């Protein structure tokens, strides 16, 4: 299994980090988790096109995690000429998100159908809405869900993907909670969005401080990894985004609480297990 950080950014725009997304390649199956800004470009950098995807899984509907879903849908449609539906799984509300995305694309879809003879219908998207504790398969990858804690955003879910005895937990934006513990328990790879609380507290403005209320800190993530026996902690969606020379400081902070492998990196960092 390859876990590829196709986007390590946050809502704060960055020239170096695409919006939040993670690509998982397990055997012959490829799954995209979330679709932040620039995701299709990052996918192409590792040789994966939207029409190569076996499925898209969505953790929640915050804009930084879904704002490029329209690019995934459109590119998949044009590449497949609507022969194969794009399959999307996500929490309650995902169907409405996709419906409104297609409505936003309505004019563009019409232009392309009028111009390109092979296109005779719009994008085919197959949406499955999930509740916490649901389970399903994408080919031979077994996936389970659990509720996460990102209020007032609701509902939010995380995912555990298992293939050939290897497990990856992709939990999205969340505080520590029982759902994260379930998903990350003894996982080979536990991917957690993180912030440095002591640094964010120095940011000016009330809105900046609000993000402390619903994101895990580096310490939180490390303590979770230790508590549930995860083998590797992978930090992503870092706020504030560190420079490479600051990575050792972030890793050292986590290592105070977790003795397993700790990884942090740029977009396209790949963890193979």
């Amino acid at each position: 299994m390859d876990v590829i950080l196709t986007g390590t950014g946050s809502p704060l725009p960055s020239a170096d980090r695409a919006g939040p997304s993670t690509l998982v390649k397990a055997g012959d199956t490829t799954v995209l988790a979330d679709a932040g800004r620039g995701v299709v470009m990052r996918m192409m950098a590792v040789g994966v096109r939207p029409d190569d995807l076996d499925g898209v899984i969505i953790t929640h509907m915050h804009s930084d995690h879904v704002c490029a879903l329209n690019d995934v849908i459109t590119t998949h449609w044009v590449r497949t000429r609507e022969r194969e539906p794009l399959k999307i799984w996500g929490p309650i509300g995902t169907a409405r998100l996709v419906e409104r995305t297609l409505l936003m694309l309505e004019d563009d879809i019409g232009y392309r159908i009028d111009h390109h003879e092979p296109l005779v219908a719009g994008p085919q998207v197959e949406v499955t809405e999930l509740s916490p504790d649901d389970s399903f398969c994408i080919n031979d990858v077994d996936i389970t869900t659990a509720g996460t804690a990102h209020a007032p955003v609701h509902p939010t879910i995380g995912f555990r993907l298992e293939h050939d005895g290897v497990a990856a937990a992709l939990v999205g934006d969340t505080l520590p909670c029982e759902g994260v513990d379930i998903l990350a328990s003894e996982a080979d790879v536990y991917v957690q969005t993180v912030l440095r609380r002591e640094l964010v507290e120095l940011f000016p403005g009330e809105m900046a401080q609000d993000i402390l209320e619903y994101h895990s800190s580096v310490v939180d993530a490390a303590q979770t990894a230790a508590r549930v026996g995860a083998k590797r902690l992978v930090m992503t969606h870092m706020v504030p985004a560190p420079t490479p020379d600051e990575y050792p400081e972030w890793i050292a902070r986590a290592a105070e609480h977790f003795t397993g492998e700790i990884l942090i990196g740029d977009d396209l960092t790949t963890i193979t297990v």
Side-chain angles (χ1 to χ4, degrees), residues 76-86 118-119 122 124:
H76 180 276
W77 168 51
V78 171
R79 293 279 311 177
T80 63
R81 301 182 183 182
E82 80 269 343
R83 288 190 298 268
E84 296 291 336
L86 175 65
L119 297 177
Q124 305 300 302

Side-chain angles (χ1 to χ4, degrees), residues 193-209:
T193 67
V194 296
L195 51 74
R196 287 278 298 276
R197 174 172 292 272
E198 68 276 19
L199 299 180
V200 173
E201 287 174 343
L202 301 176
F203 289 4
E206 179 181 350
M207 289 181 64
Q209 299 308 305

